[in-house]
Amino acid sequence: MAEYETHEYEVLVIGAGGAGLRAAIEAAAAGVSVGLICKSLLGKAHTVMAEGGIAAALSNVDDRDNWKVHFTDTMRGGQYVNNWRMAELHAKEAPDRVRELEAWGALFDRTDDGRILQRNFGGHRYPRLAHVGDRTGLEMIRTLQDHGIHKGMAVHMECTVVTLLKDGPRVAGAFAYERERGRFKVFRAKAVILATGGVGRAFKITSNSWEGTGDGHSLAYHAGAELMDMEFVQFHPTGMVWPPSVRGLLVTEAVRGEGGVLKNSTGRRFMFDDIPDLYRAQTADNEDEGFRYTQGDTNARRPPELLTRDHVARCIMREVKAGRGSPHGGVFLDISWIKARLPNAEEHIRKKLPSMYHQFKQLADIDITKEPMEIGPTTHYIMGGVRVDGESQMSTVPGLFAAGECAAGINGANRLGGNSLSDLLVFGKRAGEYSAKFAREQKPPAIDARQVDDAAKRAVEPFERSAGNEGPFQVQFALQELMQDLVGIVRSEAEMRRALAGLEALKQRADRAGVAGHREFNTGWHAALDLRHLLTVSEAITRSALERKESRGGHFREDYPDKDPAAGTFNIVVRKNRDGGMDVVRTPIPPMPAALKAIIDEYK
Amino acid sequence: MPTTATFRIWRGNAQGGKFEDYATPVSEGMVVLDAVHQIQADQANDLAVRWNCKAGKCGSCSAEVNGQPRLMCMTRLNQLNLDEPVTVEPMRAFPSIKDLVTDVSWNFRVKKGIRPFKPRPPDAPDGTWRMQQADVERVQEFRKCIECFLCQDVCHVLRDHKQFDGFVGPRFLTYAAALEMHPLDEERRARELKTTHGIGYCNITKCCTKVCPESITITDNAIIPLKERVVDELYDPTVKLLRFFRRK
C-alpha cells in the first residue's frame, strides 16, 4: 500500500449534520475516540435548511398530546410500513432530546408561561413542533456544533469518503479525500456511523444542496449492507418555482401551519376537494374552522393544506396538469390573506416566518405579507435508506451504523414534517451510544492494502481520461433530468423500464467522464466521484419502485393508483449480489406487538 | 437585461493568481452563484467555489462581488451593472486556497477558545427552564448568524491590521454576546473578552453591521453592550474594592 495519511478512531462518524453531530457527541461522551468527517465546513450541513421545527410530544401547548399520539401519527403518516419499533422509540425519546438541546444552549420560542412553544404541522394531531421562527435547523446544528467542539472529537472538514473499507465481514474504516489539497486519507475505525443525509441531487428539481448525492446509501450498499424502502421519496409540496434559478428551493410547511392556504388560478382552495378517508375525521370541512385551528383553537380540526406531504404534492400536480396552475407551472400559496382575520397581520407574518419573508423578497421580489407565492413540488427527502436494527441503528454489516435520513425505518412510506429533526436527535444518539458499545467490545480491524490501493486508483481515473470526452456535470444533469421525468412524483412501469435503460447508458458515460487540472479543490473531479453514488441510489430507487406495484405514501404509480393491503405487509430491500448486480427482495414486516396495535386503535 | 454577461473571476491560489473573464448567458432572476455554476459546468470544471444551500442560510458562498462582501447566492444579477464585467473574488481577509475558496479555519479555532455555554440549574423539578419570549428574542438575533464570516472579512482590525492573534473579530464577539446575554448562562467571560479576545480593538466603525446578510445589528446590539459589560465587571470601583478584600 502506498503511504497515505492515516487516522485511527474507535468510532468514525461520516456526516456532520444533525444526526452525525448528535452521534459524535454521544460516542465521545461514552469515552471512545471519535472522528467526525464533514463533506463541507462544519455547521454548513443541510440540516440548516430545516425550517419548521422538531416534533416531540412535550405537550406544552396541548396537554392531550403524548408519545402514543405521536407514535400513531407517525405510523399513519408512514402508511403502516414503518419500522414500528423505531416509531415507538422516536415518539418516546424525542421530548428528552429536545430538552437536552435546551440544556446545551438552544433558544426555542416560548409559551406565555415560559416553556418551549410548539406549532402545528402537517399530519401531527396536536401542536407539536418545538421551533425557532422558521430557522429551527440552524438553531439545532449550531447548538450541536458549539456543544460538540468541546467534547474532544477530531473534526475533518471538507473531506469526502469514496469507499468504505472492510475486514472480512466487518467494517474496518473508510477511504477519503480532502478537498483542499486533494490528498487521500485512510481512516481505520472499529465502528463507522453513516449520517450522510439524502439523495435529492438525483433529481432535477430539489431542495437539496450539492452534498445530497446519496453517499451513505451508496457506501453502505457497496459494502454489502441492505437498503430498504428506496421507492419512498418525498416530494415536498411547496418549493419555489420562480425565478428559474431557485426552482425547488424549499418553502416551509410552517407557512401553512400559520394559516397559509393553497389556491389554483381560478382562486379556488382546491385542497377541500380531495380529503382522504384516513384523515376525514380530523380535517376541517370549512375555511373558518381551518383558520381557527392554525391560530391555536384546540377544538378546531386542521385545514386540508396540512394533510400529509405526499397527498398535498399530488393535489398540486393535479391542478397544474388540469391547466389550473400559476403562470410558472405551480399553484398559489397565500399567507397574506390572514390580513382579513388578524390585526397587525403583516408584522405577525414577518415575525413568524422571517426567513420566508427574506427569501421571497430577495430572490423573487415578492412581499409575502402582501401577495401570494408561486409554489410547486420539489424533491425533498428520502424515507428509504440503510436497513438498520431499530434499537442500535446497526446495519446488516457488523460495525456499520446509520442514522438520520440515510437510514430507513422510522418514516415508512411518508415522513411527517418535523419528524426529521427529531429522528436525527433520537437515532443519532442511539447510533453514537451503540457504536461506542460495539467498538469497546472489538479488536482493531486490519486495513487491507489492496482495497486501499484499488480505491485510490479508481479515484484518480477521471484525470487519466481526456476532459473533452464527457463532462462530469453534464452526466449529472442528464441523470437528474432522467430521474425527474421518469421516476418522479407520478410513476409507471413503462417509464421506469426506460429509466433503467437510461441509467445503464449513463453508467457508461460516467465511466468516460474526465476532468482537467490538478487535485486541489477541483469541483469537477468531486462531481465525477459523486456520480457513482448518484447512479447507485437512482438504480435502487427505480428498481424498488418497479417492485412496489401499488401506490402508497411518497410512491405513486399511475398504473397501480390504489393502495394494495397485501403490499402493506412487506418492505422492499435491495442488496448487491455476487456478480455486482442489484437484487430486489420483499421482506415481511414483523408483526406489531398487541400493545402498540392497541395504541393505534385508540388514537387513530 | 442583456442575454450574456461577463464575469471577471479571480483564479489562483496562495502563490498568486489573476482575474479571468468568462462570458455566460444570463436570464431573469439569476444570482451571481448561478453564473459561477454555469461557468464551472461549461467552461471551467475545476473552478473552486464553496456553496451549499443556495438560500442564504448556510453562509458558504461568501465572496467579494464588485468589491462588496456578499453571499453569491443572494446577489441578484439585476442589482448589478451587467454592461461591465462583474468582478468576483474571494474574501481578501483570509488566506487563499484556490479561486474563490479561502482558508477560514482560523474562525473555527477562535470559536473553540471562547468559554462554552454554562446554564444555571433547571428551574423546574423535571429539569426544564422557564424563559420569557422577550428575553429569548434579544439573543435570537445573534443566533441568526450563519457564520458566513463576511463581517470578519470586512473588519479592518483583521483585514488591514492582521490582528488574528489578539482579536476574535465581530463574528465571535457576537457569539460571546449571545452566550453572555443568554437567559440561562452563568459563565463569566469579561476578563477574556478584554484580554485574549481583544474587544478593545473594535472602534465601532460598524462595517460588520453593514455587510451582515442576516441584518444582525452587530455593533450596536452585540459589541457595544459587551464592551459595557467588560467595563462594568472589570473597572467598577466597588467591585474592584470588593475583589481587593476578597483576595486577602
Side-chain angles (χ1 to χ4, degrees):
Chain A
M1 177 170 82
E3 283 297 307
Y4 300 107
E5 186 182 322
T6 301
H7 299 269
E8 288 195 27
Y9 301 105
E10 281 168 289
V11 172
L12 177 70
V13 184
I14 303 173
L21 276 164
R22 187 62 191 82
I25 288 169
E26 196 64 21
V32 299
S33 64
V34 177
L36 177 65
I37 296 182
C38 330
K39 199 167 171 180
S40 290
L41 296 173
L42 185 61
K44 306 298 183 194
H46 206 56
T47 308
V48 300
M49 290 297 282
E51 292 159 346
I54 313 172
L58 296 160
S59 56
N60 286 355
V61 171
D62 193 320
D63 56 17
R64 290 172 296 181
D65 203 13
N66 59 52
W67 78 263
K68 293 172 182 173
V69 191
H70 191 184
F71 165 75
T72 307
D73 288 350
T74 302
M75 292 298 294
R76 186 197 307 106
Q79 310 261 341
Y80 304 106
V81 293
N82 322 49
N83 177 328
W84 42 260
R85 178 62 176 152
M86 284 173 77
E88 178 192 3
L89 291 169
H90 169 255
K92 281 181 173 165
E93 294 175 6
D96 279 346
R97 296 290 82 77
V98 171
R99 289 192 276 260
E100 195 168 69
L101 282 187
E102 182 153 287
W104 295 345
L107 276 173
F108 295 104
D109 288 347
R110 315 308 293 181
T111 61
D112 288 339
D113 65 348
R115 295 185 296 167
I116 296 172
L117 182 62
Q118 296 178 276
R119 72 156 43 118
N120 285 310
F121 234 59
H124 293 282
R125 180 175 289 204
Y126 302 119
R128 190 175 281 149
L129 270 65
H131 61 277
V132 187
D134 55 4
R135 54 161 195 86
T136 314
L138 175 67
E139 184 72 12
M140 183 164 134
I141 203 160
R142 203 64 83 226
T143 302
L144 293 171
Q145 173 189 348
D146 295 350
H147 183 74
I149 56 174
H150 296 287
K151 297 295 155 193
M153 59 191 72
V155 181
H156 298 266
M157 290 194 226
E158 299 196 311
C159 183
T160 305
V161 174
V162 179
T163 189
L164 294 176
L165 303 171
K166 302 260 311 261
D167 177 3
R170 68 183 276 212
V171 74
F175 180 78
Y177 66 86
E178 45 104 351
R179 298 169 77 76
E180 186 176 331
R181 299 278 166 247
R183 284 181 294 228
F184 293 130
K185 288 185 177 184
V186 173
F187 293 90
R188 183 161 81 138
K190 292 177 181 173
V192 173
I193 302 174
L194 297 168
T196 53
V199 307
R201 284 278 143 186
F203 294 84
K204 186 177 173 192
I205 300 174
T206 176
S207 63
N208 291 189
S209 85
W210 67 273
E211 296 185 293
T213 48
D215 299 15
H217 294 78
S218 162
L219 292 170
Y221 170 83
H222 290 291
E226 295 179 339
L227 304 181
M228 187 172 87
D229 294 338
M230 292 298 284
E231 70 276 27
F232 297 125
V233 175
Q234 182 169 77
F235 299 92
H236 193 291
T238 58
M240 289 177 81
V241 297
W242 192 91
S245 71
V246 293
R247 191 169 187 124
L249 192 59
L250 193 65
V251 178
T252 175
E253 189 166 321
V255 176
R256 285 168 284 146
E258 298 293 343
V261 299
L262 291 167
K263 289 182 175 173
N264 63 21
S265 60
T266 70
R268 185 174 175 77
R269 259 183 91 174
F270 56 85
M271 288 306 300
F272 277 111
D273 301 341
D274 184 1
I275 298 170
D277 291 338
L278 203 57
Y279 285 93
R280 191 170 300 278
Q282 317 174 359
T283 307
D285 53 17
N286 64 79
E287 298 199 358
D288 182 62
E289 183 180 9
F291 181 70
R292 283 191 285 113
Y293 176 89
T294 64
Q295 302 308 304
D297 181 344
T298 52
N299 294 314
R301 293 172 299 173
R302 68 174 146 236
E305 277 84 1
L306 290 178
L307 286 162
T308 53
R309 290 175 172 178
D310 53 332
H311 179 75
V312 179
R314 275 196 300 278
C315 289
I316 293 171
M317 288 295 283
R318 185 193 60 212
E319 293 303 306
V320 174
K321 278 193 175 161
R324 295 187 293 265
S326 66
H328 301 99
V331 296
F332 296 105
L333 170 63
D334 189 9
I335 180 82
S336 70
W337 80 281
I338 67 170
K339 281 196 291 261
R341 303 263 182 162
L342 284 184
N344 292 329
E346 294 193 8
E347 197 192 321
H348 178 78
I349 294 167
R350 277 197 295 270
K351 194 160 171 185
K352 287 287 182 182
L353 303 163
S355 314
M356 283 304 109
Y357 175 75
H358 197 63
Q359 183 173 313
F360 274 89
K361 190 92 185 147
Q362 282 208 313
L363 295 174
D365 296 322
I366 298 270
D367 181 347
I368 66 168
T369 68
K370 296 194 170 68
E371 50 198 319
M373 300 158 245
E374 261 191 86
I375 56 88
T378 179
T379 313
H380 184 52
Y381 187 88
I382 186 158
M383 276 65 78
V386 182
R387 186 183 187 201
V388 291
D389 171 69
E391 305 275 337
S392 68
Q393 300 289 292
M394 188 154 86
S395 72
T396 43
V397 172
L400 182 63
F401 297 74
E405 188 171 350
C406 76
I410 163 80
N411 297 302
N414 175 54
R415 175 175 70 81
L416 298 184
N419 270 1
S420 179
L421 291 187
S422 42
D423 166 20
L424 306 183
L425 294 172
V426 168
F427 295 107
K429 178 189 182 285
R430 281 186 164 266
E433 181 184 336
Y434 285 91
S435 63
K437 188 165 173 284
F438 179 91
R440 273 200 304 265
E441 291 162 358
Q442 302 294 321
K443 289 202 181 74
I447 295 286
D448 174 0
R450 216 189 49 210
Q451 287 177 36
V452 173
D453 289 337
D454 281 354
K457 187 170 157 283
R458 255 207 326 269
V460 295
E461 277 171 3
F463 287 107
E464 290 154 14
R465 306 177 196 127
S466 153
N469 254 349
E470 183 73 82
F473 290 105
Q474 283 66 29
V475 180
Q476 198 191 66
F477 297 155
L479 177 137
Q480 290 165 339
E481 294 259 356
L482 174 133
M483 290 299 286
Q484 186 79 33
D485 293 346
L486 303 179
V487 201
I489 301 181
V490 178
R491 299 164 172 172
S492 71
E493 172 98 19
E495 288 187 342
M496 290 193 285
R497 293 274 165 221
R498 270 169 52 208
L500 279 184
L503 287 171
E504 205 45 55
L506 283 170
K507 268 185 212 166
Q508 317 287 325
R509 282 180 65 184
D511 284 341
R512 290 196 303 269
V515 293
H518 50 76
R519 274 161 59 177
E520 289 181 13
F521 221 111
N522 187 330
T523 36
W525 181 42
H526 307 153
L529 294 181
D530 286 344
L531 285 175
R532 179 187 189 219
H533 301 318
L534 282 171
L535 285 161
T536 301
V537 294
S538 298
E539 184 181 346
I541 291 167
T542 310
R543 289 196 188 277
S544 302
L546 272 166
E547 181 68 13
R548 187 166 285 281
K549 295 178 173 37
E550 63 153 356
S551 293
R552 181 183 295 268
H555 170 69
F556 184 81
R557 296 271 308 246
E558 63 184 356
D559 43 356
Y560 299 94
D562 299 317
K563 195 150 65 175
D564 174 7
T569 59
F570 59 82
N571 297 110
I572 291 166
V573 163
V574 301
R575 61 171 91 98
K576 197 171 176 175
N577 62 32
R578 279 170 198 283
D579 309 322
M582 193 177 280
D583 283 343
V584 184
V585 291
R586 297 177 175 190
T587 311
I589 297 172
M592 195 187 297
L596 291 181
K597 254 191 209 151
I599 289 170
I600 289 180
D601 286 340
E602 188 182 343
Y603 290 100
K604 79 178 171 198
Chain B
M1 196 176 206
T3 51
T4 58
T6 301
F7 291 81
R8 186 161 287 171
I9 301 177
W10 194 84
R11 304 293 312 263
N13 56 25
Q15 281 72 54
K18 60 181 189 333
F19 283 99
E20 279 185 35
D21 284 2
Y22 300 91
T24 195
V26 293
S27 59
E28 206 184 350
M30 268 176 75
V31 294
V32 171
L33 186 61
D34 292 321
V36 170
H37 277 156
Q38 256 173 225
I39 291 162
Q40 184 189 56
D42 300 333
Q43 307 175 45
N45 272 192
D46 61 344
L47 170 59
V49 55
R50 281 197 183 106
W51 70 286
N52 280 298
C53 76
K54 212 171 168 293
K57 294 199 176 86
C58 75
S60 300
C61 64
S62 308
E64 297 182 9
V65 179
N66 285 345
Q68 299 295 316
R70 304 290 309 236
L71 294 178
M72 287 187 277
C73 72
M74 297 304 275
T75 307
R76 295 273 298 270
L77 295 186
N78 63 5
Q79 301 164 349
L80 305 169
N81 175 12
L82 299 181
D83 297 332
E84 292 183 8
V86 176
T87 62
V88 187
E89 57 192 309
M91 290 191 284
R92 292 301 191 186
F94 300 111
S96 167
I97 288 178
K98 190 183 162 205
D99 306 336
L100 301 177
V101 175
T102 53
D103 180 358
V104 291
S105 58
W106 171 80
N107 292 283
F108 291 89
R109 290 194 297 276
V110 165
K111 186 182 238 186
K112 238 178 155 169
I114 294 170
R115 285 178 188 275
F117 176 65
K118 190 172 125 192
R120 69 176 184 233
D123 301 331
D126 65 352
T128 60
W129 287 271
R130 299 292 177 270
M131 286 179 264
Q132 288 310 303
Q133 182 67 26
D135 299 331
V136 163
E137 268 168 24
R138 186 179 181 205
V139 182
Q140 281 178 339
E141 183 194 359
F142 309 141
R143 294 182 66 91
K144 284 195 305 190
C145 171
I146 56 174
E147 300 199 329
C148 63
F149 307 130
L150 288 172
C151 59
Q152 308 285 69
D153 181 46
V154 83
C155 176
H156 63 102
V157 181
L158 299 172
R159 190 182 179 106
D160 301 327
H161 302 289
K162 309 281 174 211
Q163 294 297 318
F164 289 94
D165 293 329
F167 182 57
V168 296
R171 161 57 194 140
F172 295 105
L173 291 176
T174 307
Y175 176 66
L179 290 164
E180 284 283 300
M181 297 178 204
H182 193 297
L184 306 183
D185 184 73
E186 288 193 321
E187 188 57 270
R188 302 180 81 98
R189 300 175 187 83
R191 185 155 295 279
E192 287 152 337
L193 279 164
K194 176 173 173 271
T195 56
T196 48
H197 305 338
I199 192 168
Y201 277 112
C202 168
N203 57 349
I204 50 176
T205 51
K206 304 197 184 185
C207 311
C208 49
T209 304
K210 267 185 224 130
V211 301
C212 178
E214 285 292 310
S215 307
I216 301 169
T217 321
I218 300 174
T219 318
D220 290 355
N221 289 357
I223 300 181
I224 292 175
L226 216 51
K227 279 174 175 274
E228 288 167 352
R229 190 172 285 231
V230 170
V231 171
D232 284 350
E233 286 197 27
L234 301 182
Y235 297 98
D236 182 333
T238 328
V239 174
K240 245 188 175 166
L241 208 63
L242 277 171
R243 269 216 197 101
F244 176 75
F245 285 116
R246 220 181 279 149
R247 259 201 298 267
K248 293 233 156 159

